[in-house]
Amino acid sequence: METLVACLAGFLVSMAIWLMLSGNLMRFLFGLLLLSNGVNLAILAAGRLTPGAPPLLGTSGALPPDTMANALPQALLLTAIVIGFGLFAFALALTIRAYRSFGHLEVDRMRSAEPAEDS
Amino acid sequence: MLDGASDGAGRMLGYAASILAALILVSMALMVPAVVDGRPVLFALDWAPSLGISLAFMVDGLSLIFGLLISGIGSLIFLYATGYMGDHPQFGRFVLFLFAFMVSMLGLVLARDLITLFLFWELTSITSYLLIGFDHDNPRARRNALQAMLVTAGGGLALLAGFILIGTAAGGYDLAQILAGPGLQDSNLYGAILVLVLLGAFTKSAQFPFHFWLPNAMAAPTPVSAYLHSATMVKAGVYLLARLHPALGGTIAWSMALTTAGAVTAVLASVLAMRQGDLKQALAYTTLMALGTITMLLAGAHPYALTAAVTFLIIHSLYKASLFMVVGAVDHGTGTRDVGQLGGLGRAMPLTALAAVLACASMAGLPPMIGWIGKELIYAGAETMTAAPFVAAAAVAANALMFAVAGIIALRPFFGAPVATPHPPHEAPWQMLAGPVILALGGLVVGVLAQPLLGSVVGSALTGSLLQDRAAGLHLWAGFNRAFVLSLLTFTLGVMLYLMRDRFAALVDPVLRRLPSLDDGWDRLLDGLRVLAAWQTRVLQTGRLTAYLMAVFAVVALALGLTIIRTRPEIAMELPRSAFLWLTAIFTAAGAVLALNTHSRIAAIAGIGTVGIGVAVIFIYAGAPDVATTQLMVETLSAVMFAIAALRLPGITERRSPRRQMAHGVVALTTGLCVTAIILSVTASPLDRSITSYFEENSYALAHGLNIVNVVLVDFRAFDTFGELIVVLLASFGAYAVLKRKRRAGP
């Protein structure tokens, strides 16, 4: 079943890159969110999928008889999701700001740092 | 500050530098007895011990000869420069550059560590750039200075690579150890070392085909030319060849390369020297001839050839420095150095004429000058070499031409009927006469007393530095031998060439004009480089952000793809039977496709939200309720924020051309496929659960928590979580700062 998640992750990454390359800041943000989801799925799959069985201990720390889901990728994922959200929120703020400054969202027309040469 | 100094202060500076150089000469001279006894003077200071590099110096026979020449001639040059241009407004700067150059040159010849040597090698390139371009208002001077620096520094880069290879092959950069070792001729790096070192030496010593920069470097003030092109700068390459001779010499490749380059340079340069009207240019070409001859002799491995090389090096330094200074004095006294506009100066400038005649006699190789001994030694040495007839023929041709050029320089300006010069000729001041006269007389004195004065030092260079068993003696009369016959032949040819100089020039001129030289293409080469730089900047730094992003993703795709193709990892393919999982995956993928549409932003945002929820469902399915909860909250928040933002942002359209869409699609699909393939190969390899097991076993024992994920976050990896909090906090501060509207002043 990791196979399906792997395919889904790859699909999300493809869509994300397509959107990020589109040259529109809003679509770039869509891509950013998809990318973060795709990568999160990749982390999950790399730690193996164990249906059910969340990593919870029994009373006084007894290990349950069956194998639990891998706790390590879950901890990493929690951090990744929150950081990804922070990144998204800041990027969204920048996008709004860019629109206020330039009046459009076309990144290729934002050339304050590298003005086009007059040729 | 120095530039503002009054004339008097500038001159004082020149004298001070001259005295300082003389003191260096004395201290070098004091080392002569020890070096001659076979006890080189060593000095070392750790510099970068972890890299095996030390600031190490050594005075042995070869270094000592160079050191004496550099400091001795340097002292006279400072004196000369004070007379020549002491009233120049920037004379202080000039003295500084020249002194820095002298110190770099001394460091170069005294260095015992290859990296130290390289450092000083490059310093001479940089300081000579400043000196050649000293007349910086003149674009020609700037251009030629840059050319000299680019050629020699470019060779220097090759040299650095060669030195590092030598260090690898010999196990260290210590020259004393490398030379005492078995030599590198059998190393499997020898070929590369030889090519790189020769590139460095040939560019520095202006050997064919890199000879073009040296005559151009005559744009420098005359004292600089007198110094750089007699005993110093251009001799650095020759010094290096001699220095590394024991470690690299003696092979067929060495012998062939040096013989060919040296012979071609020597003959070509002496032919070119014949047709120069400008005395200084003529001298520049004779310098090339001398360097070519020394290079050619260093191809040999017999004590005779090497003695000839070392001796000729001393001789050339003496007469060439003297002649350059003479030409400067003539220029100073008459206002021209065009040989066609000069004549009969001997009466007005007797001391200059004396120096010119003596120095030219040495250059022509007439007895009893030291030049005679040098020429005899060259012929004796040529006999010992592999390609003896070729070397001897080249040497005779070059020497005969040299004889004729010496005749032109010594006779035409100073004798015959006086010619009207731009201003009436007058003798130069004493500062400008001391150098040429002392050096020219020196050529006579060491000629007469060659063996007692030079024998022991040349001997120690031969036995101590070049590791020969003996040196050839320096005698005015070595008997009636083949060398003597060749000398007579040289004189005969030389006299003929002098007498028929005009016809000779007319004969060779059409041929020489057609010879290609790198100098012709030099400016085009530099322009081409500039165009190339501008082109690659335009192509790589388009200023379009999507192009940069495309480059990043393309590199990622390429790196991942190549790794997968190269390693061909095992891939686990096992599709699940759970219909629930299939449905969730299709639901998620459909959301992603919805996010691609451009018609409705709200639909796209809904698509993104769908993906987020689908991923959350997968988290729940995989036994990760905490992650799923967080995911749901974050996705909800994101969707809400997006929707609010969308109210303030314009609609979206697809603006990419179909071709660009194609390219982007290829990169996006490739990267996605690579990600899938890598996850599949990861899941095919066995899982290491040791960290997870540690958490499972210890989360209750150490942290009293039953929810392992929570314990990991707030306990085992608490600092990570803390850092994460800070990131989110900073992001919110940043977003606030970005979105805060500036209060506008006025209406």
Side-chain angles (χ1 to χ4, degrees):
Chain A
M1 66 184 254
E2 284 88 0
T3 312
L4 187 64
V5 175
C7 291
L8 186 61
F11 181 73
L12 290 183
V13 169
S14 285
M15 296 295 122
I17 291 176
W18 168 263
L19 283 169
M20 290 171 92
L21 286 171
S22 74
N24 179 293
L25 268 185
M26 188 132 171
R27 299 187 90 194
F28 178 89
L29 289 177
F30 294 157
L32 197 64
L33 278 175
L34 286 187
L35 189 68
S36 116
N37 275 319
V39 171
N40 286 348
L41 281 183
I43 297 175
L44 183 76
R48 305 298 191 281
L49 270 75
T50 320
L56 299 171
L57 297 173
T59 39
S60 65
L63 286 168
D66 298 329
T67 319
M68 290 182 292
N70 195 345
L72 182 64
Q74 293 194 18
L76 295 177
L77 278 174
L78 273 172
T79 312
I81 290 170
V82 175
I83 298 263
F85 176 67
L87 177 67
F88 163 74
F90 185 65
L92 184 66
L94 274 182
T95 305
I96 294 170
R97 175 72 210 202
Y99 182 61
R100 269 191 217 152
S101 301
F102 296 107
H104 61 82
L105 289 178
E106 306 299 318
V107 284
D108 285 347
R109 282 165 58 206
M110 298 176 182
R111 304 198 56 157
S112 304
E114 290 178 73
E117 280 173 51
D118 299 320
S119 51
Chain B
M1 194 185 84
L2 291 171
D3 293 350
S6 66
D7 290 1
R11 282 179 198 278
M12 288 312 289
L13 211 59
Y15 294 137
S18 177
I19 292 168
L20 214 53
L23 287 178
I24 297 175
L25 175 72
V26 171
S27 59
M28 305 277 323
L30 289 178
M31 297 180 199
V32 170
V35 172
V36 169
D37 276 1
R39 287 179 286 118
V41 182
L42 303 175
F43 166 78
L45 202 72
D46 269 353
W47 183 9
S50 55
L51 297 172
I53 299 169
S54 55
L55 209 58
F57 298 96
M58 144 179 91
V59 185
D60 67 351
L62 190 64
S63 308
L64 189 66
I65 290 176
F66 271 94
L68 289 169
L69 288 172
I70 292 166
S71 53
I73 295 181
S75 172
L76 294 172
I77 293 282
F78 279 116
L79 196 61
Y80 180 82
T82 310
Y84 184 82
M85 51 192 294
D87 50 357
H88 192 287
Q90 287 160 350
F91 186 64
R93 183 188 299 185
F94 179 80
V95 172
L96 174 71
F97 291 166
L98 200 61
F99 206 84
F101 174 78
M102 184 180 81
V103 173
S104 320
M105 201 60 215
L106 282 170
L108 195 165
V109 297
L110 298 181
R112 200 184 89 190
D113 182 281
L114 280 179
I115 302 298
T116 309
L117 197 161
F118 170 75
L119 178 84
F120 285 108
W121 181 279
E122 292 297 70
L123 277 176
T124 61
S125 291
I126 294 168
T127 44
S128 65
Y129 166 75
L130 295 171
L131 285 169
I132 296 169
F134 182 72
D135 186 10
H136 54 80
D137 290 336
N138 179 355
R140 191 93 200 134
R142 290 203 303 269
R143 179 238 185 215
N144 292 348
L146 187 66
Q147 185 184 52
M149 185 174 75
L150 288 181
V151 173
T152 55
L157 284 182
L159 189 67
L160 177 62
F163 281 174
I164 290 171
L165 288 185
I166 291 180
T168 313
Y173 295 113
D174 188 341
L175 262 172
Q177 275 176 19
I178 294 170
L179 297 179
L184 303 167
Q185 287 89 346
D186 297 327
S187 158
N188 50 5
L189 293 173
Y190 178 72
I193 292 174
L194 188 65
V195 169
L196 292 167
V197 168
L198 289 188
L199 261 179
F202 283 1
T203 47
K204 196 78 161 182
S205 276
Q207 294 300 295
F208 182 84
F210 305 109
H211 60 286
F212 57 91
W213 71 263
L214 195 147
N216 287 341
M218 292 301 130
T222 300
V224 173
S225 309
Y227 197 35
L228 262 61
H229 303 131
S230 61
T232 55
M233 174 80 170
V234 297
K235 288 277 169 66
V238 179
Y239 165 79
L240 187 76
L241 293 177
R243 175 53 81 202
L244 294 175
H245 190 281
L248 299 176
T251 63
I252 295 175
W254 169 278
S255 159
M256 290 243 307
L258 266 66
T259 311
T260 319
V264 171
T265 312
V267 176
L268 179 69
S270 34
V271 172
L272 285 165
M274 282 288 285
R275 58 185 273 258
Q276 301 300 323
D278 182 346
L279 285 173
K280 203 172 159 189
Q281 283 293 332
L283 286 179
Y285 282 103
T286 62
T287 299
L288 281 178
M289 172 273 174
L291 294 168
T293 306
I294 298 172
T295 305
M296 188 166 73
L297 290 167
L298 285 171
H302 191 275
Y304 273 27
L306 298 176
T307 310
V310 173
T311 315
F312 188 58
L313 184 136
I314 303 172
I315 298 165
H316 172 253
S317 302
L318 293 177
Y319 77 67
K320 190 50 62 66
S322 173
L323 283 179
F324 268 117
M325 290 195 258
V326 162
V327 167
V330 168
D331 194 6
H332 181 268
T334 64
T336 180
R337 22 175 235 249
D338 184 346
V339 75
Q341 296 184 35
L342 296 167
L345 296 177
R347 204 173 295 272
M349 307 175 73
L351 285 171
T352 311
L354 173 75
V357 169
L358 282 177
C360 280
S362 195
M363 174 164 143
L366 289 169
M369 306 300 297
I370 183 73
W372 160 261
I373 299 179
K375 186 160 50 55
E376 295 287 285
L377 276 171
I378 291 172
Y379 293 147
E383 280 184 47
T384 66
M385 291 174 57
T386 351
F390 175 72
V391 175
V396 170
N399 276 323
L401 285 158
M402 218 38 28
F403 183 93
V405 176
I408 296 174
I409 296 174
L411 302 178
R412 291 201 47 199
F414 297 102
F415 300 93
V419 177
T421 48
H423 48 251
H426 59 88
E427 188 63 286
W430 70 269
Q431 299 99 325
M432 289 176 64
L433 287 172
V437 172
I438 289 175
L439 290 174
L441 282 175
L444 177 65
V445 172
V446 294
V448 175
L449 299 169
Q451 190 60 27
L453 282 177
L454 290 180
S456 55
V457 182
V458 170
S460 82
L462 260 280
T463 52
S465 311
L466 289 157
L467 307 182
Q468 300 293 315
D469 47 4
R470 69 204 158 90
L474 310 174
H475 304 292
L476 276 176
W477 177 245
F480 188 83
N481 50 19
R482 235 179 303 178
F484 184 73
V485 176
L486 285 177
S487 277
L488 293 183
L489 177 67
T490 309
F491 291 152
T492 321
L493 279 173
V495 171
M496 279 162 61
L497 279 168
Y498 177 72
L499 294 177
M500 303 193 306
R501 54 185 181 269
D502 293 331
R503 206 176 314 159
F504 178 78
L507 195 71
V508 295
D509 223 39
V511 185
L512 288 178
R513 265 180 215 293
R514 248 171 264 146
L515 271 185
S517 161
L518 283 175
D519 192 38
D520 302 332
W522 179 260
D523 292 314
R524 251 176 297 143
L525 184 76
L526 282 194
D527 287 342
L529 205 63
R530 263 179 231 122
V531 170
L532 182 74
W535 173 82
Q536 68 94 17
T537 308
R538 260 200 319 278
V539 168
L540 294 182
Q541 303 185 0
T542 54
R544 290 192 305 110
L545 292 172
T546 40
Y548 299 156
L549 207 54
M550 177 74 173
V552 170
F553 284 128
V555 168
V556 168
L558 212 66
L560 293 181
L562 285 181
T563 314
I564 291 168
I565 290 170
R566 218 162 50 83
T567 55
R568 292 176 189 283
E570 195 186 328
I571 279 180
M573 283 291 251
E574 187 198 346
L575 288 172
R577 264 168 288 161
S578 153
F580 174 71
L581 205 57
W582 273 106
L583 273 176
T584 315
I586 291 168
F587 173 74
T588 314
V593 173
L594 190 60
L596 294 189
N597 91 84
T598 51
H599 304 298
S600 158
R601 285 174 295 156
I602 289 302
I605 292 169
I608 296 288
T610 310
V611 172
I613 290 167
V615 171
V617 171
I618 293 176
F619 286 154
I620 292 175
Y621 182 81
D626 297 308
V627 184
T629 318
T630 316
Q631 168 82 2
L632 275 176
M633 288 201 296
V634 162
E635 288 301 329
T636 313
L637 258 176
S638 302
V640 170
M641 284 165 63
F642 238 145
I644 296 171
L647 295 175
R648 300 158 182 242
L649 295 176
I652 45 183
T653 43
E654 176 65 64
R655 286 175 195 267
R656 285 176 283 188
S657 65
R659 244 184 76 207
R660 190 160 278 169
Q661 285 188 358
M662 193 78 153
H664 289 179
V666 168
V667 169
L669 277 180
T670 317
T671 317
L673 275 176
C674 291
V675 168
T676 302
I678 282 172
I679 301 171
L680 289 179
S681 77
V682 166
T683 49
S685 54
L687 178 68
D688 177 8
R689 271 185 76 106
S690 55
I691 300 175
T692 309
S693 307
Y694 173 84
F695 288 147
E696 287 173 352
E697 279 154 26
N698 291 300
S699 92
Y700 186 74
L702 295 178
H704 302 285
L706 298 176
N707 183 336
I708 300 171
V709 176
N710 282 3
V711 170
V712 170
L713 283 179
V714 300
D715 207 305
F716 291 123
R717 294 175 64 244
F719 270 116
D720 278 7
T721 310
F722 184 64
E724 170 200 331
L725 284 177
I726 291 177
V727 169
V728 174
L729 197 68
L730 283 179
S732 63
F733 282 164
Y736 174 72
V738 164
L739 289 180
K740 197 177 76 162
R741 280 182 190 278
K742 274 189 216 146
R743 213 172 284 159
R744 302 236 169 117

